[in-house]
Amino acid sequence: MNFGNALDAPPGEGLELSERYFEAVRQAGFDTVRLPARWAGHAARTAPYPIDPVFFARVDRAVGLALAHELAVVLDLHHFHEMQDDPAGNTDLFLALWRQIATRYADRPSRLWFELLNEPRPPMTDEQWNALVEPALAVVRESNPTRTVVVGPTAMNDLAVLPALRLPDDPHLAVTIHYYAPFAFTHQGAHWVAGADRWLGTSWGSAADLAAVEADLRRAADWAGDAGQRLFIGEFGAYERADPAARARWTRAVRQTAERLGIGWIYWEFGTDFGAYDPAADAWREPLKEALLGPDRGTATPS
């Protein structure tokens, strides 16, 4: 389960991560949480680029709560938009952030994973991203020689560009993709997507729809098998303005297909606009919960 729109939200905004949310996730049967964090938004812009200790304390608390509730954790670097726009100009900051994060959590259990960068995207190119992965991994390895580090492809972690991803020779890597296809269904009415209101009313669930999910995720699984890499879906979900029954159908189909193909998953997200949980009611949205944790469930762990 992703705790999105929390540590990655602008200062003073977003979901407050109550301990009861970690309890609810664990009691429901989830075994992993992803903690997107807006590190660059809380760091100085001059060397050595120190991260605000108040923000570090917020992340410390979230990591500690997750681990205390026996959850695995994927801690990522989220919303670093400057990195996408100007990789060369932000490389020093990127490496400095990871040196601080890695050192801070070096003594945490191995079930804490580091994800180098959420959704690398244009104008960053494949070549630029591939060139950054090795030095970033080297920085992490200074203090965490065997911790699992997560890397995804460009185009916002699109599975279609997995073949362009070049990974260092390191036995402690995992690869992530994000899956929101078809976008006109999963993002209908999303206020941050231009023209998304035109998609309102888009449904999902035909035989062709199911076949498309199968084809997409099989292609990703085949790549992982050929590359000898662990693979998981770090984000998938449908926005709240889609029909609830169709959201549940899509969520179940993606989850079932991923599990059948040996792909782990982490749902986007817990308690805001894609949320499987309703914080106001302090209760799960049962159709989505059942779609994720139904009796047919295999394993959800990204391993």
Side-chain angles (χ1 to χ4, degrees):
M1 179 62 66
N2 272 278
F3 277 121
N5 301 317
L7 297 169
D8 54 320
E13 300 180 23
L15 184 73
E16 288 295 324
L17 293 180
S18 166
E19 182 171 5
R20 75 178 188 276
Y21 295 159
F22 292 88
E23 293 172 349
V25 165
R26 187 58 180 162
Q27 289 172 4
F30 296 97
D31 55 19
T32 301
V33 293
R34 183 168 176 258
L35 296 174
R38 190 188 289 255
W39 295 103
H42 299 272
R45 283 301 190 266
T46 55
Y49 310 103
I51 295 168
D52 180 1
V54 173
F55 185 69
F56 247 141
R58 288 180 61 200
V59 180
D60 290 349
R61 177 178 177 274
V63 170
L65 286 171
L67 294 174
H69 287 87
E70 299 183 342
L71 292 158
V73 183
V74 178
L75 180 61
D76 93 328
L77 199 161
H78 216 82
H79 291 324
F80 191 3
H81 303 303
E82 305 96 319
M83 193 73 207
Q84 324 286 0
D85 296 335
D86 180 13
N90 287 278
T91 295
D92 288 348
L93 172 57
F94 179 56
L95 298 180
L97 292 174
W98 272 115
R99 182 167 281 110
Q100 294 172 77
I101 298 164
T103 301
R104 181 89 166 200
Y105 300 111
D107 64 346
R108 298 307 197 275
S110 62
R111 66 179 187 275
L112 170 64
W113 293 8
F114 295 153
E115 182 178 341
L116 290 181
L117 183 65
N118 178 69
E119 294 185 344
R121 70 192 75 179
M124 182 187 285
T125 66
D126 292 324
E127 292 75 17
Q128 288 171 321
W129 177 227
N130 288 335
L132 283 167
V133 170
E134 188 165 359
L137 183 61
V139 164
V140 172
R141 291 289 175 247
E142 291 170 5
S143 54
N144 292 260
T146 61
R147 188 174 304 280
T148 298
V149 174
V150 178
V151 184
T154 58
M156 300 178 72
N157 295 149
D158 191 337
L159 64 88
V161 294
L162 278 169
L165 183 62
R166 299 289 177 264
L167 295 171
D169 183 12
D170 186 301
H172 304 290
L173 297 178
V175 175
T176 187
I177 56 173
H178 291 180
Y179 192 72
Y180 291 105
F183 200 71
F185 170 72
T186 64
H187 282 68
Q188 57 188 288
H191 61 85
W192 64 93
V193 178
D197 282 352
R198 297 195 306 267
W199 303 332
L200 287 169
T202 302
S203 192
W204 189 93
S206 69
D209 291 336
L210 289 162
V213 170
E214 172 75 26
D216 285 345
L217 297 188
R218 184 168 294 280
R219 183 166 39 149
D222 287 347
W223 176 89
D226 291 343
Q229 294 292 339
R230 294 177 287 176
L231 178 71
F232 71 98
I233 302 172
E235 293 183 15
F236 74 107
Y239 188 58
E240 63 186 356
R241 296 186 70 183
D243 172 71
R247 287 177 75 194
R249 283 196 301 272
W250 180 87
T251 300
R252 181 179 293 104
V254 175
R255 188 268 300 169
Q256 287 177 331
T257 305
E259 289 180 348
R260 180 164 41 80
L261 294 172
I263 301 171
W265 55 265
I266 309 178
Y267 178 75
W268 185 272
E269 43 71 41
F270 176 72
T272 63
D273 45 16
F274 285 70
Y277 191 87
D278 181 350
D282 204 15
W284 291 99
R285 294 183 170 102
E286 287 298 333
L288 286 173
K289 179 186 173 187
E290 196 279 334
L292 292 165
L293 299 174
D296 61 315
R297 180 187 175 213
T299 176
T301 307
S303 58

